Amino acid sequence: MWKSLALPSGFTVDFMNMFGDGRLQEENVERELLTIGTKAELGMSKIRLTGKAKGHLSKDGTPEPVYFMQMPYIKKDNPNTVESINKLQRYSKYLRDKIDAVIFLGIGGSYLGNKVLFDILAGDFWNTDAEKRHGYPRVYFSGNNLDAVQCIEQASEIKRLAATGSSKKEQFTVMLVPISKSGTTLEPMSAFTYFYNEFAGSKTIKVEVTVVTDLCVDIKESPLLQLAEQRAWQCFDIKEGIGGRFSVFTDPGLVTLSAIGGDIEAFLCGARELDEYCKNAVSAENPALLNALLKYLVGRQGCDIEVFMGYSSKFKALGEWYVQLLAESLGKRHDRDGKLVNYGRTPVVAVGSTDMHAQTQQHQDGRRNKIIQFLEIADTGLKLKLSNPFKGNSFFESYKGLELDKALKIALAANEEALASDGRYSARYVLPRLNEYYLGQLLYFLMLSIAYEGELANVDAYDQPGVEAYKKIMKSKMW
């Protein structure tokens, strides 16, 4: 069994600090790999082959397929086809040529994955840097909370931009993109209603709409789809058998890549090559299986919290996306045989080095119920070396020559070493660079890891009955 794996792409996973005195023992892990690990691989093979996961039902109690492992492959009858990718590329050109601002309106998986793509590939200053945008529109997110303040402030910003003549045409053109599988999701539909009403009657703002929803649903059941048909709005599909937390590799996520001119094919290629590697590797060299197994085993030792700690400010949204992936997929009351298990870990987002000044005290000295998952970029492509602008000041003279990127790596290594010295669990993922290809590899690796762990724990990683419980109560109180 390999404690550290380097994929041909250069993406590496390091599990060295999962092993040692008071931690996992290599011979025990090897034994589990041959038993429950083999069963997990058989379960995953069945899902790949048949599109069915043991006992998985939709929220209405009927059998539902599981197709997320088809997403990276562009082929007929898959979630992504040549035609669907071409449509996204045409849409990207239209947004670049005609649209001044896009507001994505989604929640859960229809928001979190999109925000990851935007934060990592566009960044904080996209909306204020016209040169960086290369003609692509400003991008905003709403509908991810029942937040009147957020809606009003975003509408005010759009009106301000329209009033300053920041448009490509005579009118400032806004594209509203409501994303909802059912076409009825409360938060995005509320925000969509508000923004459309605010902008539709404006003399300075032109509003257009792109709908992302289930195009195969009975139109009588989807008010959003009814509007799209009546008003000839462009539509993208939310495919059957792909839950929201897995959907970033399909239309609901790829529309955001379109809006920023991202390389869709490179993003899917990264996921595809990761999938091929894991599919063909022997068990002891399958990084997704090993990642799942080690976390499953430390869970049996009482580790019920996983801290996802990326060492870059760009990784905050990624951590939030992973929170949903882990919590909804593995947080289950019963296993697939109906046994009460209350399985899962509580996910926590942390950013290095920021949260070394906030959370690390608990990680290092608090209860021994945590695994810390580090994420690092090997080469950011940017170098920032400090000089001393305060001549004669000995304190700032010591900062002279300091490279911030190198200091960040030292901070991660110090955190990792301190945890290991106290027998605490941690692992590290390292991306060679940060681009569409490697982001595709990372996101898909995390999805596969969660799916493998569902097989190991014998829980349905694709339903979310706890979410449906609160929705029913909330609906009864509101309407």
Side-chain angles (χ1 to χ4, degrees):
M1 188 194 66
W2 291 69
K3 295 180 184 178
S4 181
L5 290 166
L7 279 64
S9 65
F11 173 41
T12 64
V13 290
D14 187 342
F15 303 122
M16 295 294 291
N17 288 322
M18 300 294 285
F19 296 87
D21 291 341
R23 288 173 284 178
L24 296 176
Q25 300 302 306
E26 189 170 344
E27 59 272 19
N28 294 337
V29 175
E30 288 176 344
R31 184 169 58 250
E32 298 283 11
L33 190 62
L34 291 173
T35 54
I36 58 173
T38 299
K39 286 181 65 176
E41 288 198 303
L42 290 173
M44 290 286 281
S45 296
K46 182 178 178 181
I47 297 171
R48 289 180 188 279
L49 185 64
T50 68
K52 296 178 182 178
K54 177 185 173 182
H56 176 61
L57 303 174
S58 69
K59 62 183 177 182
D60 61 9
T62 58
E64 183 179 56
V66 174
Y67 291 147
F68 88 91
M69 283 186 278
Q70 297 178 4
M71 295 186 301
Y73 300 89
I74 303 171
K75 59 190 293 189
K76 185 179 179 182
D77 298 326
N78 271 14
N80 292 308
T81 64
V82 171
E83 292 75 18
S84 72
I85 299 301
N86 288 340
K87 181 180 177 182
L88 285 160
Q89 290 170 341
R90 291 193 300 271
Y91 185 65
S92 179
K93 184 177 186 306
Y94 181 81
L95 294 177
R96 186 187 64 202
D97 294 344
K98 305 290 186 182
I99 303 300
D100 296 298
V102 178
I103 305 179
F104 290 104
L105 304 155
I107 193 168
S110 299
Y111 159 69
L112 293 165
N114 301 50
K115 192 65 163 55
V116 171
L117 297 176
F118 179 79
D119 282 10
I120 288 179
L121 300 173
D124 290 341
F125 303 102
W126 174 266
N127 288 344
T128 57
D129 189 343
E131 185 176 341
K132 184 176 185 179
R133 292 200 307 273
H134 296 294
Y136 284 94
R138 295 172 175 85
V139 172
Y140 302 90
F141 295 90
S142 189
N144 55 305
N145 198 358
L146 294 169
D147 190 338
V149 173
Q150 181 196 59
C151 288
I152 291 168
E153 289 183 348
Q154 283 193 349
S156 296
E157 172 65 3
I158 295 297
K159 292 173 184 177
R160 184 192 68 79
L161 289 169
T164 58
S166 304
S167 55
K168 297 173 182 175
K169 302 293 181 182
E170 292 181 4
Q171 287 180 297
F172 190 91
T173 306
V174 179
M175 180 69 79
L176 299 179
V177 187
I179 308 173
S180 168
K181 184 176 178 66
S182 66
T184 61
T185 311
L186 174 62
E187 291 88 348
M189 292 305 98
S190 298
F192 172 57
T193 301
Y194 169 75
F195 286 120
Y196 193 88
N197 187 60
E198 282 291 298
F199 301 147
S202 172
K203 293 180 180 179
T204 57
I205 299 172
K206 178 183 177 184
V207 62
E208 296 187 18
V209 178
T210 300
V211 168
V212 186
T213 191
D214 183 352
L215 300 182
C216 295
V217 73
D218 184 342
I219 194 169
K220 291 181 288 187
E221 302 295 323
S222 175
L224 185 60
L225 196 54
Q226 291 170 27
L227 281 174
E229 187 173 272
Q230 292 163 7
R231 302 181 181 222
W233 291 336
Q234 172 136 229
C235 294
F236 288 92
D237 197 10
I238 296 180
K239 299 292 187 181
E240 178 188 30
I242 298 173
R245 56 192 180 270
F246 295 93
S247 67
V248 68
F249 288 102
T250 58
D251 284 358
L254 298 181
V255 289
T256 295
L257 269 186
S258 297
I260 60 174
D263 190 333
I264 293 172
E265 294 192 28
F267 183 56
L268 293 175
C269 180
R272 185 167 59 249
E273 291 188 4
L274 188 284
D275 188 58
E276 291 287 351
Y277 183 87
C278 292
K279 188 167 59 176
N280 295 316
V282 297
S283 298
E285 297 178 21
N286 179 341
L289 173 60
L290 288 174
N291 191 45
L293 179 63
L294 295 176
K295 290 178 180 179
Y296 172 74
L297 294 177
V298 300
R300 295 203 310 206
Q301 295 183 359
C303 283
D304 58 0
I305 294 176
E306 180 175 345
V307 180
F308 191 92
M309 194 166 192
Y311 272 69
S312 168
S313 297
K314 284 180 173 285
F315 287 151
K316 187 172 188 294
L318 175 62
E320 291 169 347
W321 170 84
Y322 183 66
V323 163
Q324 185 199 22
L325 181 68
L326 174 58
E328 282 194 349
S329 298
L330 299 180
K332 299 298 159 66
R333 184 186 301 268
H334 297 100
D335 68 13
R336 296 184 296 192
D337 299 319
K339 179 182 176 183
L340 180 66
V341 292
N342 295 122
Y343 187 77
R345 294 181 298 286
T346 299
V348 176
V349 181
V351 175
S353 64
T354 303
D355 286 311
M356 291 172 69
H357 297 263
Q359 295 185 30
T360 291
Q361 173 61 37
Q362 172 58 231
H363 305 166
Q364 186 70 45
D365 286 353
R367 292 182 60 197
R368 293 180 174 273
N369 63 341
K370 289 170 283 293
I371 173 173
I372 315 302
Q373 181 61 73
F374 295 115
L375 173 61
E376 177 185 14
I377 312 167
D379 182 6
T380 64
L382 298 172
K383 301 297 179 187
L384 196 165
K385 183 182 289 189
L386 299 181
S387 56
N388 180 14
F390 309 108
K391 305 301 181 185
N393 187 302
S394 58
F395 173 81
F396 287 99
E397 188 65 23
S398 67
Y399 278 53
K400 186 176 180 179
L402 177 67
E403 295 182 27
L404 289 195
D405 191 55
K406 190 176 292 185
L408 187 66
K409 293 182 186 305
I410 292 171
L412 191 163
N415 196 355
E416 191 175 51
E417 184 177 334
L419 289 167
S421 70
D422 194 41
R424 306 243 173 186
Y425 287 112
S426 72
R428 190 198 296 209
Y429 312 140
V430 183
L431 296 176
R433 291 177 295 284
L434 203 52
N435 57 26
E436 289 91 334
Y437 173 83
Y438 286 112
L439 185 56
Q441 289 225 317
L442 176 66
L443 295 182
Y444 196 76
F445 165 73
L446 294 171
M447 289 181 186
L448 275 185
S449 296
I450 291 296
Y452 272 113
E453 190 172 348
E455 295 300 314
L456 292 167
N458 192 32
V459 297
D460 186 348
Y462 312 103
D463 68 353
Q464 51 191 60
V467 174
E468 300 307 323
Y470 90 77
K471 285 183 178 179
K472 290 177 183 176
I473 296 170
M474 188 173 176
K475 186 176 181 180
S476 72
K477 291 178 180 293
M478 291 188 64
W479 309 115

